[in-house]
Amino acid sequence: MEHHHAFSESSVYVTCVLLLAFAQSMLLKCFQKVSVAFLSVMEGLSIRSSAEEQIATFDQLSANWWEPTGPMVLLHRLNKLRVPLVVEGLIKVGKLDRKQRYTTDALKGLSILDVGCGGGIYAEALAKLQANVVGIDPAQHLIEVAKAHADKQPDIRDHCQYRVESLDQHWEGAVGKYDVVVLSETLEHVVDKSTLLKQVAAVLKPGGSVFISTWNKTTFAWLLAVVVLENITKHLPRGSHDYEQFIAPEETQGILEGYNCRTVECRPFYLKFWENDWVWVPFMKFTYALHAVKE
């Protein structure tokens, strides 16, 4: 009898937990929809769903891309995390000696593809460490900005190239070509993520590494990216992010595994938006960086 009573209480508890979880989920979804509606009325929020519209959005910002405190300040500041991540990741998988960690030519001789390179902020930082970098992006104005900026720097212009291309256009002529592929703040702008990551795996050499940084698919990430950064602080171009295109780390890892790329590390990071400062954090609620190796 006591056992039956305990079982009954346990069932009630589990049911209550499930109902609370369901209620929380519904409230968050309602909040998201109401917030979108409110922002649409108050600020003319427009969600850009097509690739062409997103390219146009970033093209408009090309003139100010290299201002350290301009519209792209968050990408400039992100280099302090994503560049060391590449070096440390390659040391971890035995592609670099740990003595190279702080050298000025840590990436010398490595071939790197930057997918969705924009105006070249990430690509140039990798080229400064003597990597041979190819940056591709379908936004023509941004590639022109990237080329113009690199051409002024004798130390990188010979090993930092840019092309007006998508990965879909680039990959067939580059199968097994690259030691490293980086996709920083790119995956969340792509609808067909499986095809994109399949092409990433194709252009990597066996043992090559891919480094991805993107937004997690959580309500917290949506609040930060769309509500705060796009519509309140204006740190990101309005309409440049669509929650439906955000992707959870488990899904990213699963897709990569399907193309023989094993995840080595997945590290969450966060933007202290009041300071424009990116930091590594212990909670996977907002953004994450992932390193995988092609087997």
Side-chain angles (χ1 to χ4, degrees):
M1 192 70 176
E2 288 181 4
H3 176 74
H4 177 75
H5 181 67
F7 178 77
S8 178
E9 286 184 345
S10 176
S11 298
V12 170
Y13 173 75
V14 171
T15 302
C16 288
V17 169
L18 290 173
L19 286 172
L20 283 171
F22 174 74
Q24 182 185 39
S25 174
M26 294 305 295
L27 282 171
L28 287 172
K29 287 181 180 179
C30 288
F31 174 74
Q32 184 177 352
K33 289 179 180 178
V34 169
S35 298
V36 170
F38 173 75
L39 290 169
S40 297
V41 172
M42 297 302 291
E43 303 205 36
L45 175 65
S46 60
I47 298 297
R48 301 176 184 272
S49 57
S50 73
E52 291 77 12
E53 287 175 316
Q54 290 200 355
I55 290 167
T57 297
F58 288 106
D59 261 344
Q60 292 169 11
L61 296 163
S62 59
N64 307 110
W65 205 268
W66 277 96
E67 292 179 16
T69 58
M72 294 296 105
V73 60
L74 297 184
L75 290 182
H76 286 277
R77 296 286 181 87
L78 188 54
N79 272 358
K80 81 167 196 175
L81 297 189
R82 59 188 179 179
V83 175
L85 181 74
V86 171
V87 175
E88 294 289 343
L90 294 176
I91 290 172
K92 185 176 290 186
V93 297
K95 293 296 181 180
L96 294 179
D97 189 285
R98 63 186 180 86
K99 294 178 182 178
Q100 296 172 263
R101 180 178 279 115
Y102 303 115
T103 61
T104 56
D105 61 350
L107 301 176
K108 187 174 183 179
L110 294 179
S111 56
I112 299 180
L113 177 67
D114 184 353
V115 179
C117 64
I121 294 169
Y122 193 11
E124 274 202 16
L126 297 170
K128 290 281 186 184
L129 295 178
Q130 298 302 302
N132 297 310
V133 182
V134 175
I136 60 173
D137 199 294
Q140 183 174 350
H141 292 169
L142 291 181
I143 292 297
E144 290 171 359
V145 167
K147 285 181 176 179
H149 198 267
D151 284 345
K152 297 173 186 175
Q153 301 173 77
D155 61 327
I156 68 166
R157 64 186 176 202
D158 292 335
H159 52 93
C160 190
Q161 305 171 24
Y162 295 103
R163 301 176 189 174
V164 184
E165 286 182 338
S166 64
L167 184 57
D168 195 49
Q169 296 168 313
H170 182 81
W171 78 274
E172 286 188 291
V175 173
K177 179 178 179 180
Y178 296 101
D179 297 296
V180 174
V181 176
V182 296
L183 298 95
S184 183
E185 313 312 301
T186 299
L187 195 57
E188 69 268 25
H189 300 293
V190 177
V191 176
D192 189 353
K193 295 172 174 50
S194 184
T195 295
L196 177 79
L197 294 178
K198 179 181 181 180
Q199 293 166 350
V200 165
V203 301
L204 277 174
K205 297 176 181 177
S209 288
V210 55
F211 294 89
I212 297 169
S213 61
T214 190
W215 291 91
N216 198 346
K217 192 161 188 176
T218 67
T219 301
F220 294 102
W222 175 83
L223 284 170
L224 179 58
V226 178
V227 177
V228 176
L229 297 180
E230 288 190 21
N231 290 280
I232 297 177
T233 67
K234 318 292 187 189
H235 278 108
L236 295 176
R238 189 184 303 161
S240 60
H241 291 86
D242 180 353
Y243 176 75
E244 293 304 315
Q245 302 307 329
F246 288 10
I247 182 168
E250 297 82 8
E251 186 176 352
T252 304
Q253 292 178 44
I255 295 172
L256 287 168
E257 284 173 10
Y259 301 121
N260 297 318
C261 292
R262 173 180 54 86
T263 297
V264 175
E265 182 177 23
C266 188
R267 295 181 67 181
F269 60 101
Y270 175 67
L271 175 67
K272 294 196 289 185
F273 57 88
W274 57 96
E275 296 179 1
N276 291 337
D277 190 28
W278 297 97
V279 291
W280 298 116
V281 290
F283 47 86
M284 191 75 72
K285 294 290 186 183
F286 297 93
T287 40
Y288 62 94
L290 185 148
H291 173 202
V293 174
K294 181 178 178 179
E295 296 181 320

